[in-house]
Amino acid sequence: MIIRPKDAVKMLGVLIMCACAVLVCMLFLNSNIDLQRIKDQITDPETLIIFDLVVSSGNMTSAVTGLALGLTTVVMLLFYVKHYIDTHKPELGILKALGYSNWKIAKGFWVFGLSIFAGTAVGFCLAFAFMPAFYKSQRNDGVLPDISVHFNPELVVYLIIFPTIAFALLSVLYSYRKLKRPTLELIRGKGKVKIRKVKNGGKEDLPFLRDLKQSTLRSRFSLIFFVWLSAFCFSATVVMSFSIGELGGSDMMAVMMAAIGVVLAVTTLFLAVTTVIKGNGKTIAMLRVFGYSDHECGRAILNGYRPITYIGFAIGTLYQHGLMIMMMTLFFDDSVMDLPEYTFNVQAAVIALASFVVLYELFMLVYSKRIRRIPLKDVMAEE
């Protein structure tokens, strides 16, 4: 199996997702391990309670972040593996015709695990670069003693080696499953045609562009997930960053949380929109031949995803609100820590929504203009 440079570039989304997950998990887990070194020095009962709360909240943050971004990375990785197989069916079919077994071909997909290794390694190194400032910001209240940064090798195993092996194995097993199809079908590059029965209750057919928009939306469910995820990540992290600042958390953590949300939103939007446009290149070119304007082409291909983004934003906002309530209830006791009462920040939600609308609409504007640069000759030559 040959992985070309342009195929490797497409794995940038997986790399960024892993880097963000490991960055957050590494900061809190390394801090918790280093805190255990000074636990014997704490004799005051109230300080010891605060110590336990800080460790518990750090573990909670790592678990929530790691699980959420880990599951997202699984979906993204499987999407890339499937996309690679779909776009390289003739080459894979020829290998099968030459006598290569499904398992022998699938073993080559371990290289997709390298993106996991690169992402986790980048996140690990970034965490160590931020670690001194993070430790300082976490101890600015002076309640707990200052601690020095230590290198804890077990985190290399848990945050880099294990995920790389697990995702490489997942890539191999999933590709093996997807390769279980007739050799001739792969060589032709076409799968089975699925006939969908349309039930319109006796109504007339939908207008062409509206029907095309709905068909584009239904064609790939994974892209719906990525578009939804971009809004979810943006709202959950940006609104939460405001709450962290209001509750007396470190400014560094609030800024980092907001930055991670923006990066994840841009990454997933880029993945979804570019895939939609590339997958519908021929449709767009033919629409232009039949006289449809660039605006109409963009509206038919891209506008169907707009309601999904705003639903994702609403769910992300509610999610962060519920998560903050749970964390404040489980890990922080007002009788010990004089924290302000947490309430839903309407102003932060409005600011986050306005920011996301600007980001999303700029994305749609840029990629709608890219549609006019799709030449009919190049698209038809791909057949």
Side-chain angles (χ1 to χ4, degrees), residues 32-276:
N32 283 355
I33 294 175
D34 287 346
L35 276 172
Q36 296 297 330
R37 303 174 191 272
I38 65 167
K39 186 174 183 179
D40 295 337
Q41 304 176 18
I42 302 175
T43 57
D44 181 61
E46 291 190 356
T47 304
L48 189 61
I49 292 175
I50 295 175
F51 174 90
D52 293 334
L53 291 173
V54 170
V55 172
S56 298
S57 61
N59 290 333
M60 175 69 177
T61 302
S62 300
V64 171
T65 303
L67 181 61
L69 295 183
L71 293 175
T72 305
T73 304
V74 169
V75 175
M76 191 173 288
L77 181 67
L78 297 183
F79 171 82
Y80 277 122
V81 172
K82 181 180 183 299
H83 182 72
Y84 182 89
I85 292 175
D86 290 341
T87 55
H88 294 80
K89 286 180 181 178
E91 297 96 317
L92 297 172
I94 291 173
L95 288 177
K96 290 184 68 173
L98 291 174
Y100 287 85
S101 65
N102 291 335
W103 180 246
K104 192 169 185 179
I105 299 174
K107 285 192 297 184
F109 281 81
W110 71 269
V111 297
F112 282 87
L114 294 179
S115 62
I116 305 297
F117 174 78
T120 53
V122 168
F124 195 92
C125 294
L126 285 176
F128 250 96
F130 286 118
M131 200 74 71
F134 177 74
Y135 277 28
K136 184 178 180 180
S137 66
Q138 292 292 95
R139 310 288 175 262
N140 58 6
D141 54 7
V143 176
L144 296 177
D146 292 333
I147 56 175
S148 56
V149 178
H150 294 82
F151 175 75
N152 299 291
E154 61 268 31
L155 293 180
V156 176
V157 177
Y158 296 141
L159 299 180
I160 297 180
I161 297 177
F162 280 176
T164 299
I165 295 174
F167 280 94
L169 182 60
L170 178 64
S171 300
V172 171
L173 295 177
Y174 183 70
S175 61
Y176 175 77
R177 179 177 176 274
K178 299 301 293 184
L179 287 169
K180 285 184 175 181
R181 58 182 69 181
T183 302
L184 188 58
E185 178 184 312
L186 289 173
I187 294 176
R188 288 177 175 175
K190 297 180 180 179
K192 297 179 180 179
V193 177
K194 295 182 179 180
I195 300 176
R196 182 176 59 88
K197 294 182 179 180
V198 179
K199 298 180 180 180
N200 55 12
K203 298 180 181 179
E204 296 181 358
D205 293 338
L206 293 174
F208 173 69
L209 290 180
R210 183 180 172 188
D211 186 57
L212 176 61
K213 180 170 64 176
Q214 294 185 5
S215 299
T216 302
L217 196 63
R218 291 191 299 264
S219 60
R220 290 186 179 180
F221 179 78
S222 56
L223 296 181
I224 296 178
F225 171 77
F226 289 138
V227 171
W228 174 88
L229 179 67
S230 66
F232 178 89
C233 291
F234 189 95
S235 61
T237 54
V238 173
V239 178
M240 187 178 292
S241 68
F242 281 92
S243 299
I244 291 174
E246 290 183 350
L247 293 174
S250 66
D251 293 337
M252 176 186 172
M253 195 62 207
V255 172
M256 185 181 298
M257 185 71 69
I260 288 176
V262 173
V263 169
L264 292 180
V266 171
T267 301
T268 49
L269 264 182
F270 173 79
L271 166 68
V273 175
T274 53
T275 305
V276 168

Side-chain angles (χ1 to χ4, degrees), residues 277-289 370-383:
I277 291 179
K278 185 174 181 181
N280 292 276
K282 184 174 296 185
T283 302
I284 295 169
M286 294 304 298
L287 285 174
R288 292 170 60 195
V289 168
R370 281 192 60 181
I371 287 176
R372 73 181 63 173
R373 298 199 296 266
I374 299 178
L376 176 61
K377 182 176 69 174
D378 292 348
V379 174
M380 298 306 294
E382 295 178 1
E383 262 304 292

